[in-house]
Amino acid sequence: MKFGAGVMSVFLLGLVRLLTGAQARWHGCPPKAEQRIYFANHQSHADLVLIWAALPQELRSITRPIAAKDYWTGSRFKRWITTEVFNAVYVERERKGEEDPLQPLINALESGDSLILFPEGTRGFAEDPQPFKSGIYNLAKRFPDVVLVPAWIHNVQRVMPKGEVVPVPVLCSVTFGEPIRLEADEDRPAFLVRAREAVVALREV
């Protein structure tokens, strides 16, 4: 990480923890430096930052958040911060031509990186997550040895209410649950429902 990105990383980490606390609750598994896909609910653009800040440093250094390319490259600053600070993997929210939208994630996993993934695909505004899209199933099938860790992000939508430009200090936390895996005879619809239920179950923990 370059010097400027390192300074920004420390600044952002301090700011996020000041505004939100960024508490991590390891309910179903300990923090461990193994290849993982963390998958969580998605209600705010701040989700990416909060779950990144909740991880201990040794996991942040090997974990790359997934970022919607159209939003996070919309300005030079957002592109710089997601590239240089978060080392994000950009994905296209709309399929273009024959290109597999999962290819950037596949490349990252083949390189040994861990990922932070939001299987809803886009932000929701209801309390319950939207149905999960098939990407997490396809990755679980292709990379059976990567550990799938569900997570629930609490209160982050209140930090930056819709229409506001100034963050509001609100205590937030991320609860990490017990890992799941794709069973040998499990089809896509069943797995996606079970993965979503694993995330929702952490809401009351």
Side-chain angles (χ1 to χ4, degrees), residues 27-45:
H27 178 71
C29 64
K32 185 178 179 181
E34 62 185 0
Q35 192 175 24
R36 292 176 168 181
I37 296 175
Y38 301 95
F39 61 99
N41 57 313
H42 192 25
Q43 292 189 312
S44 166
H45 288 309

Side-chain angles (χ1 to χ4, degrees), residues 20-26 40-41 47 50-51 54 151-157 159 170-176 202-203 205:
T20 71
Q23 298 178 354
R25 301 171 179 174
W26 296 93
N41 57 313
D47 292 338
L50 182 64
I51 199 167
W152 181 268
I153 304 173
H154 301 262
N155 280 342
V156 71
Q157 72 276 14
V159 175
V170 174
L171 186 62
C172 300
S173 63
V174 181
T175 301
F176 298 94
L202 299 171
R203 178 168 54 192
V205 173

Side-chain angles (χ1 to χ4, degrees), residues 10-109:
V10 172
F11 171 77
L12 271 179
L13 187 61
L15 179 62
V16 171
R17 289 182 173 173
L18 177 66
L19 289 172
T20 71
Q23 298 178 354
R25 301 171 179 174
W26 296 93
H27 178 71
C29 64
K32 185 178 179 181
E34 62 185 0
Q35 192 175 24
R36 292 176 168 181
I37 296 175
Y38 301 95
F39 61 99
N41 57 313
H42 192 25
Q43 292 189 312
S44 166
H45 288 309
D47 292 338
L48 179 157
V49 182
L50 182 64
I51 199 167
W52 170 84
L55 293 173
Q57 194 280 330
E58 63 270 20
L59 298 189
R60 284 200 308 275
S61 65
I62 60 173
T63 304
R64 303 178 66 186
I66 306 306
K69 188 174 182 179
D70 60 318
Y71 177 80
W72 287 103
T73 61
S75 71
R76 291 179 64 184
F77 177 72
K78 286 192 289 188
R79 179 188 288 272
W80 177 80
I81 201 169
T82 47
T83 300
E84 299 296 335
V85 177
F86 300 133
N87 191 25
V89 179
Y90 293 123
V91 294
E92 299 281 1
R93 287 193 278 195
E94 300 295 333
R95 189 176 188 125
K96 296 184 177 181
E98 296 301 316
E99 183 179 355
D100 184 354
L102 289 180
Q103 193 58 52
L105 284 67
I106 292 169
N107 294 343
L109 290 170

Side-chain angles (χ1 to χ4, degrees), residues 2 8 21 41 49-50 56 69 104 125 131 133 191:
K2 297 177 183 178
M8 178 58 75
N41 57 313
V49 182
L50 182 64
K69 188 174 182 179
F125 296 101
K133 295 187 176 181
F191 174 78

